[in-house]
Amino acid sequence: MNAWYQQTAPQQDVVLSTRIRLARNVASLPFGSRLSRDQREQLDTQVQQALETIHLGDNSLSFLRLDDMDPVERQALVEQHEISPDFAKNPDGRLLVLSQDGSISIMVNEEDHLRIQVLHSGLALKEAYELCNRLDDVLDSQLGFAFDRKLGYLTACPTNLGTGLRASVMLHLPGLQQQKMISRLADTVGKLGLTIRGTYGEGSGVVGAVYQLSNQITLGITEKDAMENLENVTAQIIQSEEQARKALAQNQTALEDKLWRSYGVLKNARLLSSEECQQTLSWVRMGVAMKLLPPIPYSTLNQLLLTTGSASVCKDEGQLLRPEDRDRVRAGYVRKVLQEN
Amino acid sequence: MNAWYQQTAPQQDVVLSTRIRLARNVASLPFGSRLSRDQREQLDTQVQQALETIHLGDNSLSFLRLDDMDPVERQALVEQHEISPDFAKNPDGRLLVLSQDGSISIMVNEEDHLRIQVLHSGLALKEAYELCNRLDDVLDSQLGFAFDRKLGYLTACPTNLGTGLRASVMLHLPGLQQQKMISRLADTVGKLGLTIRGTYGEGSGVVGAVYQLSNQITLGITEKDAMENLENVTAQIIQSEEQARKALAQNQTALEDKLWRSYGVLKNARLLSSEECQQTLSWVRMGVAMKLLPPIPYSTLNQLLLTTGSASVCKDEGQLLRPEDRDRVRAGYVRKVLQEN
């Protein structure tokens, strides 16, 4: 079965992926840190039982105890956006429900009792929301989520109160980044109740021009309105990015040189750091989108972006390798994937 | 007909080419700058007549008036080691005799009346000397060279007095350069009456680790001894270079990374400066020699080293292009040549 990021989807030239996440808590249990170890185990079991009734076709669910995993395996899931860094770091009593293609991941005993998450390649807010909603309904009917008529869903942190919904799109904005237009963009989307930041959340450097755009407001707004707002702003950013790319292409030979050299690095390097890998993949993805490079499928480029992190490339070894070995393994993996596609 | 640098020859992994040059002057004419314009023209004609009797098979001679050529065409011949920079810069009344494969070039009215030069790929001192000697005999019999029983051949500059012979080999020494062993090597060969310097003579930067080793002594020594000395020292340098390459290979992945990235640049770049071209070709040539890269023929690598100078790549245009256009044309030429081979 193909991974979720290998699906074809609209707007893949600019939108890497869509994520819907619902924060939910069981009404009958204490919230967050007030939950005892026994109660956490009990919640894990209840979630598993509740989900055994759902039918997802081939995309069956696995139930993974976090403390049974290697740290490197957990870190790989962080790199692939399946779980949060905090969830990986404190595995005790935590359960991950993961579908075979990785499109569904439910973190049990994260900050909230449940974080229900659906990932989709490209721009697919509606599809992702519908699946997330279905999982929410099944779980709610079995577990009974904490809900207040006036406030909406109750959450551990007040920033999630209301819809408990975080909808986000991962955008590839090398054009806007080159044109130094990201900070102005951040100001603009801020005024529209959205936030834009580098991959893996605030504070991280933005390598490879990958930005996450997400809704900020969960209180006093419907899910539908939040998602429509996000969708509209995304459409405008896509337009701006396409214009910025056209502007870059005015210096066509210099641009082609950069793109082909990046392609040459990925095809030939024997040592590839995570940062250089992300950076060259970024240029190659833009080159493919602009038809200035050979048509490498987006499924391949998505795979490389998501599975070349330091933990992901070391997963088979069961531990993080030394940096030079990691860079060698990464370079070999990238060449192999590009050769196959 | 293939160019001289496309011949296969011994020791091509380290020795790019061999050059024999004889400085000769006609006894009946004033030397150097004391020659009138009319006498120079007359000498041009005499040389041409003298050489019309020689049989060189398919490798026929052309007689080229330097002032009939574009400056860029003359500069391209400098880059390809056919003529000296001074000969190119002051074309007035000068004649170039050039064989079809470029292996024979005779500069008429350079510093000396004649500079008879033979080029050969790889290490081929004997072959090159024999051909040079044959040309010398034919010209001497017709023109009568200035010769003193005690001093030997008389030359414009006393540094050439005696044999008038300059024998040199172009060496590719990336291993010794990386190990920072060149200056020690220069001291050693100096004590043996030889000199080693970067391509295009003294004072030029050494890009691509190409060094010229040549004899310094022309007085009180026979041609045979001078060449044996050069051959012996060359054999020792080849050994040292091979050891230095083995030492580099101890850090195999780092070395392979450097080599494959250079290969990737040559195959993919859309803009390639002369310096980067020489540098990456240097690594690729070493990689091919060490069997760490695909087996690109030495004839191809020699061609690229000798025909990617700024003037050579602009030759078809009849003038030097702007640097960015030159770099684009060079990159395209390199990709084309590598694709064909």
Side-chain angles (χ1 to χ4, degrees):
Chain A
M1 174 169 237
N2 281 343
W4 64 270
Y5 47 75
Q6 294 178 310
Q7 298 166 306
T8 54
Q11 307 290 358
Q12 285 195 291
D13 50 340
V14 176
V15 185
L16 299 170
S17 60
T18 298
R19 188 179 69 144
I20 298 289
R21 186 267 285 153
L22 295 171
R24 295 291 184 259
N25 290 275
V26 177
S28 60
L29 289 173
F31 276 26
S33 57
R34 294 177 58 221
L35 209 62
S36 71
R37 171 71 209 230
D38 275 358
Q39 286 171 313
R40 275 149 64 181
E41 299 271 359
Q42 189 190 325
L43 178 58
D44 291 342
T45 310
Q46 286 178 322
V47 169
Q48 179 156 357
Q49 284 169 349
L51 288 169
E52 272 162 1
T53 62
I54 201 168
H55 293 289
L56 296 162
D58 289 344
N59 196 19
S60 58
L61 298 175
S62 299
F63 299 88
L64 310 164
R65 291 177 58 95
L66 260 267
D67 36 21
D68 287 348
M69 289 185 186
D70 296 322
V72 68
E73 211 174 333
R74 293 197 295 265
Q75 188 54 34
L77 289 169
V78 174
E79 290 170 357
Q80 291 159 31
H81 305 299
E82 299 288 2
I83 64 177
S84 64
D86 173 76
F87 197 66
K89 233 172 271 166
N90 305 296
D92 190 41
R94 287 175 159 177
L95 179 77
L96 171 65
V97 184
L98 193 66
S99 73
Q100 212 190 327
D101 70 355
S103 65
I104 299 169
S105 88
I106 303 171
M107 291 182 272
V108 186
N109 288 308
E110 217 260 11
E111 183 182 280
D112 294 294
H113 292 158
L114 285 102
R115 289 279 175 101
I116 309 167
Q117 177 181 276
V118 171
L119 289 159
H120 201 291
S121 63
L123 184 59
L125 284 160
K126 196 161 165 275
E127 292 87 334
Y129 180 71
E130 276 168 9
L131 179 52
C132 211
N133 212 19
R134 208 179 130 206
L135 294 161
D136 183 31
D137 287 348
V138 168
L139 287 161
D140 193 11
S141 70
Q142 307 269 328
L143 303 171
F145 289 147
F147 184 83
D148 177 272
R149 264 196 58 207
K150 203 168 163 197
L151 293 173
Y153 288 100
L154 303 179
T155 54
C157 175
T159 55
N160 291 312
L161 205 61
T163 59
L165 168 78
R166 185 79 75 226
S168 63
V169 287
M170 211 60 100
L171 300 169
H172 185 222
L173 306 177
L176 292 168
Q177 190 182 62
Q178 282 291 303
Q179 309 272 46
K180 309 209 183 301
M181 285 164 71
I182 300 289
S183 72
R184 219 179 65 188
L185 180 67
D187 288 347
T188 310
V189 303
K191 286 171 194 152
L192 299 165
L194 300 177
T195 187
I196 191 164
R197 49 191 183 183
T199 343
Y200 304 134
E202 277 166 297
S204 58
V206 179
V207 176
V210 175
Y211 294 87
Q212 188 186 48
L213 178 73
S214 61
N215 69 316
Q216 276 301 84
I217 300 162
T218 54
L219 199 60
I221 189 172
T222 66
E223 286 89 344
K224 189 164 165 284
D225 287 346
M227 294 214 302
E228 269 180 13
N229 185 29
L230 181 62
E231 183 128 32
N232 291 339
V233 175
T234 301
Q236 285 173 37
I237 295 177
I238 292 171
Q239 266 196 334
S240 307
E241 171 63 19
E242 277 164 359
Q243 277 166 8
R245 291 181 185 185
K246 271 188 203 137
L248 287 185
Q250 284 179 345
N251 199 345
Q252 175 120 1
T253 310
L255 179 63
E256 286 185 8
D257 186 57
K258 197 184 261 291
L259 302 177
W260 279 98
R261 280 172 185 258
S262 297
Y263 179 73
V265 166
L266 292 175
K267 296 275 279 186
N268 290 287
R270 263 54 188 170
L271 288 171
L272 200 54
S273 72
S274 173
E275 185 166 332
E276 188 182 16
C277 183
Q278 297 288 310
Q279 191 55 67
T280 47
L281 274 173
S282 174
W283 287 118
V284 167
R285 189 184 176 100
M286 190 180 88
V288 169
M290 294 175 78
K291 303 193 196 312
L292 296 172
L293 285 182
I296 306 168
Y298 286 118
S299 58
T300 303
L301 296 169
N302 288 352
Q303 179 187 351
L304 288 174
L305 267 172
L306 283 168
T307 59
T308 52
S310 293
S312 300
V313 297
C314 298
K315 224 172 49 178
D316 295 342
E317 319 285 336
Q319 57 176 0
L320 271 188
L321 301 170
R322 291 177 311 162
E324 61 266 38
D325 290 327
R326 212 149 72 201
D327 291 353
R328 179 177 48 72
V329 170
R330 181 183 292 111
Y333 172 70
V334 169
R335 290 201 311 283
K336 185 164 160 283
V337 171
L338 284 177
Q339 195 124 46
E340 282 167 1
N341 282 279
Chain B
M1 174 170 240
N2 280 343
W4 65 270
Y5 48 75
Q6 293 178 311
Q7 299 165 307
T8 53
Q11 307 290 0
Q12 285 195 291
D13 50 340
V14 176
V15 185
L16 298 171
S17 60
T18 298
R19 190 179 68 143
I20 298 290
R21 188 267 285 151
L22 295 171
R24 295 291 184 258
N25 290 275
V26 177
S28 60
L29 289 173
F31 275 25
S33 56
R34 294 175 58 220
L35 210 61
S36 71
R37 170 72 208 231
D38 274 0
Q39 286 172 312
R40 276 149 64 181
E41 297 271 358
Q42 190 189 323
L43 177 59
D44 290 343
T45 309
Q46 285 178 323
V47 169
Q48 178 157 356
Q49 284 168 349
L51 287 169
E52 271 163 2
T53 62
I54 201 168
H55 292 290
L56 296 162
D58 290 343
N59 196 18
S60 57
L61 298 175
S62 298
F63 300 88
L64 309 165
R65 292 176 58 92
L66 260 268
D67 36 21
D68 287 348
M69 289 184 186
D70 297 323
V72 67
E73 211 174 332
R74 294 198 296 265
Q75 189 54 33
L77 289 168
V78 174
E79 289 170 358
Q80 290 158 31
H81 305 300
E82 299 288 1
I83 64 177
S84 65
D86 173 75
F87 197 66
K89 234 173 269 166
N90 305 297
D92 191 41
R94 287 176 158 175
L95 179 76
L96 172 65
V97 184
L98 193 65
S99 73
Q100 213 190 324
D101 70 355
S103 65
I104 300 169
S105 87
I106 303 172
M107 289 181 274
V108 185
N109 290 308
E110 218 261 13
E111 183 183 279
D112 294 295
H113 292 157
L114 284 100
R115 289 279 175 99
I116 309 167
Q117 177 182 274
V118 171
L119 289 160
H120 201 291
S121 63
L123 183 60
L125 283 161
K126 195 159 166 276
E127 291 86 335
Y129 180 70
E130 275 169 7
L131 180 52
C132 212
N133 212 19
R134 207 179 130 207
L135 294 161
D136 184 30
D137 288 349
V138 168
L139 287 161
D140 194 11
S141 69
Q142 308 269 328
L143 303 172
F145 288 147
F147 184 82
D148 178 272
R149 265 197 57 208
K150 203 166 163 200
L151 292 172
Y153 288 100
L154 304 180
T155 54
C157 177
T159 54
N160 291 313
L161 206 61
T163 59
L165 168 78
R166 185 78 75 228
S168 63
V169 287
M170 210 59 99
L171 300 169
H172 184 222
L173 306 178
L176 292 168
Q177 190 182 64
Q178 282 291 303
Q179 307 272 47
K180 308 209 183 302
M181 285 164 72
I182 300 289
S183 72
R184 220 180 65 190
L185 181 67
D187 289 347
T188 310
V189 303
K191 287 171 194 151
L192 299 165
L194 301 178
T195 185
I196 191 164
R197 47 189 182 185
T199 342
Y200 305 132
E202 276 167 297
S204 58
V206 179
V207 176
V210 175
Y211 294 88
Q212 188 187 46
L213 179 74
S214 61
N215 69 317
Q216 276 300 86
I217 300 162
T218 53
L219 200 60
I221 188 172
T222 66
E223 285 89 343
K224 190 165 165 283
D225 287 347
M227 293 214 302
E228 269 179 15
N229 185 28
L230 181 63
E231 183 128 33
N232 291 339
V233 174
T234 301
Q236 284 172 37
I237 295 177
I238 292 171
Q239 266 195 335
S240 306
E241 171 63 19
E242 276 164 0
Q243 277 166 7
R245 290 182 186 184
K246 269 187 204 138
L248 287 185
Q250 283 179 345
N251 199 345
Q252 174 120 4
T253 310
L255 179 63
E256 286 186 8
D257 187 56
K258 197 186 262 291
L259 302 177
W260 278 98
R261 279 172 184 259
S262 298
Y263 179 74
V265 166
L266 291 175
K267 297 275 280 184
N268 291 288
R270 261 56 188 170
L271 288 170
L272 200 55
S273 72
S274 172
E275 184 165 333
E276 188 181 16
C277 183
Q278 297 289 311
Q279 192 54 65
T280 46
L281 274 172
S282 173
W283 287 119
V284 166
R285 189 183 176 100
M286 189 178 90
V288 169
M290 295 175 78
K291 302 194 197 309
L292 295 173
L293 285 183
I296 305 168
Y298 286 119
S299 58
T300 303
L301 296 169
N302 288 351
Q303 178 187 351
L304 288 174
L305 267 173
L306 284 167
T307 59
T308 52
S310 293
S312 300
V313 295
C314 297
K315 224 172 50 177
D316 295 342
E317 318 285 336
Q319 57 176 1
L320 272 187
L321 301 171
R322 292 176 311 163
E324 61 268 36
D325 290 327
R326 212 148 74 200
D327 292 353
R328 180 177 47 74
V329 170
R330 180 182 293 111
Y333 172 71
V334 170
R335 291 201 311 282
K336 186 165 161 282
V337 171
L338 283 177
Q339 194 123 48
E340 282 167 359
N341 283 278

